[in-house]
Amino acid sequence: MTIKLLAIPLIAALPVFFSCGTNSEDQKNQLAEEPDSTVNMPDIALAAATDDNDVSYNLPSPLQIAYVFKKSGAGFISTLPNNKANTTKYNTSNYKKAVNFGIYSADLAYCLFNKKYQESKEYLKACKDIGSYLGLDKAFESENMAQRFDKNISNDDSLIKLVSSVQMKTDIMFEENKQKHIKVLAIAGAWTESLYIACEIYTKDKNKKIQASLLEQLLLSEPIIKALKSNKNTEVEVPALIASIEKINNEFNMIPAISSAVEKDEEIDSNTISITDNEMRLMIESIKALRAEMIK
Amino acid sequence: MKTIIIPILTLTFIFILMSFQTGNILCNAKEMKEKASALLDPYKYDSSEMTKILYKTKESVKEVEVPLFIGEKYRFVFEMEALPKHVEVQIYNKDKTSKNRKLLFSSKESASDKKEFQFDVTRVRTVYVDYIVPQAEAGAYTGCAVFMLGYRLK
């Protein structure tokens, strides 16, 4: 009787022992055989695929991208950010949720650094709503965020601190939920939105400082592509996203001043680069097309 | 009573065995990142990366590529508490496959016994954070390192 009682849990635990013995190569191979992995795929395997890489990528936050862009002197155009009322529209695939979480984060940062506090609060709410579809509720609920936002509404530094703290909590949640691949998609979304805003403002004014800031942002395309490639088996939409960003990156690298700097392994100075209207037009069209695909 | 106690004891024994199997140190992202963020001030939080470290039979390198905006001021903070064996941090201007790369920082110079340290940088476009993982018995040890990046508002 005792043997029987001991045998039942031991047999039940056998698969656990075998699963511990599975190495990361096996997990990677398994992933390669399952390109259609989506929401239902065990996140733990996805995390293993990312964590076991010898190289990883730490990409800048939407807040920092917006801060650097603001320094170019770009103004605020209220029609540029994505419609706040669209959040429910994106509650479909992991890809849509993630990229649009990034898009709303970039919009929030754009409003914040332009001192549009009411709009910032509304975009923070949009981030919270779409974040809840990604399991990020805790990052937004922990410290009576809405009340704290109202309390500090005229204090720039406190608001930036508050949003930075939400950013850190979101990053922790991504880590705890084994969603590093979602984080990369969100950053790709934020980067696209920030570029889109920069393109629209540049098209209006043809300001050289804004152009330089836009080119600085374009330099992020390569690390974003690499980060996406290390997560390419996670969501079905990732290969197409990589292709779109590669197109933008190729157009950027085809600018003679850029290709020459890359060839000579020289530092690119975006303030002095000479670039034709046609080269700018090509990149702007590709950026707008990518953004339109993300928010549709 | 016996029918409940024996399976519970057996399962407890199995879990104890499993915890010894990998020698894993618990990597608590929240705790480690909150600790690191205390060293960030007056810089604002930008991003962070928790890297899983696996000690292999040979010395190995885990690399984190960090794109930056040129001219901005940054602070790098490291939290290395969840590592069973000392790992050196080196920061370079080029990746580990490049021949002519320049060492910008090494944790060796700060203090080898320190579990938290920081490094400030400006006028760089990309840096490569290398964790130099010493050799150990295969699969015997794993741990985690946290790297956090802050930027300065002017």
Side-chain angles (χ1 to χ4, degrees):
Chain A
M1 181 65 179
T2 313
I3 292 167
K4 258 188 194 172
L5 287 169
L6 281 168
I8 295 165
L10 278 171
I11 291 165
L14 275 177
V16 180
F17 276 112
F18 282 114
S19 69
C20 290
T22 309
N23 65 28
S24 58
E25 270 313 306
D26 292 342
Q27 283 169 335
K28 280 181 201 170
N29 292 340
Q30 197 179 337
L31 281 172
E33 285 160 17
E34 293 172 22
D36 288 332
S37 55
T38 55
V39 190
N40 297 323
M41 185 162 179
D43 275 341
I44 195 86
L46 301 175
T50 310
D51 281 351
D52 287 345
N53 288 339
D54 278 340
V55 181
S56 55
Y57 306 90
N58 186 77
L59 302 168
S61 66
L63 261 182
Q64 200 208 153
I65 299 175
Y67 167 67
V68 173
F69 179 56
K70 181 61 197 163
K71 291 209 296 187
S72 69
F76 184 76
I77 301 176
S78 62
T79 51
L80 294 182
N82 191 18
N83 187 344
K84 300 176 280 280
N86 282 350
T87 51
T88 49
K89 191 170 119 180
Y90 307 121
N91 191 9
T92 53
S93 64
N94 274 359
Y95 166 80
K96 278 281 174 192
K97 291 178 212 172
V99 292
N100 283 288
F101 178 75
I103 284 175
Y104 283 124
S105 303
D107 291 336
L108 159 65
Y110 176 56
C111 294
L112 192 61
F113 282 113
N114 280 285
K115 301 181 191 293
K116 303 291 174 194
Y117 301 125
Q118 189 51 41
E119 288 88 342
S120 303
K121 195 181 163 188
E122 288 162 12
Y123 277 103
L124 189 59
K125 164 92 173 47
C127 289
K128 184 184 175 209
D129 291 345
I130 204 157
S132 71
Y133 308 144
L134 291 163
L136 300 171
D137 314 61
K138 269 206 275 177
F140 292 87
E141 283 166 2
S142 48
E143 292 163 3
N144 303 320
M145 208 182 47
Q147 290 95 313
R148 280 180 67 203
F149 200 95
D150 285 337
K151 208 176 152 191
N152 292 297
I153 203 120
S154 54
N155 186 339
D156 284 8
D157 197 56
S158 298
L159 286 184
I160 293 165
K161 222 174 186 172
L162 177 70
V163 177
S164 300
S165 138
V166 172
Q167 177 74 56
M168 189 175 100
K169 286 187 177 111
T170 306
D171 288 346
I172 291 171
M173 295 296 303
F174 279 136
E175 207 96 50
E176 287 181 345
N177 298 346
K178 315 273 182 220
Q179 288 178 311
K180 276 191 178 178
H181 59 297
I182 297 289
K183 182 179 164 185
V184 175
L185 285 173
I187 293 171
W191 171 78
T192 307
E193 181 72 348
S194 193
L195 273 178
Y196 166 77
I197 291 171
C199 288
E200 289 288 355
I201 297 176
Y202 171 76
T203 308
K204 198 169 155 267
D205 297 338
K206 295 275 191 301
N207 180 306
K208 281 279 170 199
K209 275 190 169 178
I210 290 166
Q211 186 190 57
S213 189
L214 174 59
L215 297 175
E216 279 293 320
Q217 288 185 46
L218 279 163
L219 285 165
L220 291 174
S221 56
E222 248 166 59
I224 289 175
I225 291 166
K226 288 191 231 169
L228 285 167
K229 280 186 174 170
S230 67
N231 289 282
K232 69 178 171 192
N233 291 322
T234 53
E235 305 295 334
V236 284
E237 299 91 340
V238 174
L241 175 62
I242 293 172
S244 300
I245 301 178
E246 273 178 339
K247 183 173 183 283
I248 296 168
N249 189 44
N250 291 341
E251 286 159 357
F252 177 64
N253 285 328
M254 270 161 57
I255 299 169
I258 303 286
S259 57
S260 152
V262 171
E263 217 169 90
K264 293 176 193 159
D265 196 20
E266 284 173 353
E267 204 63 77
I268 294 163
D269 183 356
S270 23
N271 289 302
T272 56
I273 282 176
S274 138
I275 177 165
T276 66
D277 282 349
N278 194 44
E279 286 160 349
M280 278 307 286
R281 189 186 49 78
L282 269 177
M283 286 190 298
I284 288 171
E285 275 172 14
S286 303
I287 291 163
K288 282 185 179 178
L290 175 59
R291 197 259 191 177
E293 184 279 325
M294 284 177 170
I295 64 158
K296 76 177 177 204
Chain B
M1 191 62 178
K2 236 181 178 181
T3 49
I4 304 168
I5 291 171
I6 291 174
I8 290 174
L9 284 174
T10 315
L11 283 172
T12 311
F13 176 68
I14 289 165
F15 283 118
I16 291 169
L17 268 182
M18 280 170 65
S19 67
F20 280 108
Q21 197 187 16
T22 55
N24 257 330
I25 278 194
L26 191 66
C27 300
N28 186 327
K30 188 172 185 283
E31 230 169 66
M32 289 175 77
K33 289 193 178 185
E34 278 171 358
K35 221 168 182 183
S37 70
L39 293 176
L40 219 52
D41 198 52
Y43 290 71
K44 298 279 181 260
Y45 174 84
D46 174 58
S47 50
S48 53
E49 179 82 17
M50 185 158 92
T51 305
K52 196 174 130 192
I53 305 284
L54 172 66
Y55 295 82
K56 299 175 182 171
T57 45
K58 276 183 188 170
E59 182 182 278
S60 58
V61 179
K62 277 255 184 178
E63 192 165 80
V64 185
E65 183 174 329
V66 189
L68 303 169
F69 286 103
I70 205 151
E72 296 302 312
K73 286 183 177 167
Y74 292 98
R75 172 166 291 176
F76 291 67
V77 175
F78 295 91
E79 172 53 61
M80 315 284 279
E81 211 177 52
L83 288 168
K85 226 178 161 187
H86 177 70
V87 167
E88 187 189 341
V89 176
Q90 295 179 344
I91 302 180
Y92 289 93
N93 65 335
K94 286 184 181 174
D95 71 53
K96 60 182 178 181
T97 62
S98 304
K99 281 176 191 165
N100 304 318
R101 61 183 190 149
K102 194 175 147 194
L103 180 68
L104 305 171
F105 169 83
S106 166
S107 63
K108 229 179 198 174
E109 290 151 21
S110 62
S112 61
D113 59 329
K114 271 177 91 175
K115 298 287 182 190
E116 293 106 23
F117 43 87
Q118 64 201 51
F119 164 67
D120 295 352
V121 71
T122 190
R123 302 237 32 105
V124 187
R125 197 162 257 140
T126 308
V127 295
Y128 299 84
V129 173
D130 283 6
Y131 293 108
I132 315 297
V133 187
Q135 68 172 82
E137 293 159 38
Y141 306 100
T142 59
C144 287
V146 158
F147 147 67
M148 189 170 279
L149 183 70
Y151 64 106
R152 186 126 204 198
L153 293 181
K154 284 168 200 160

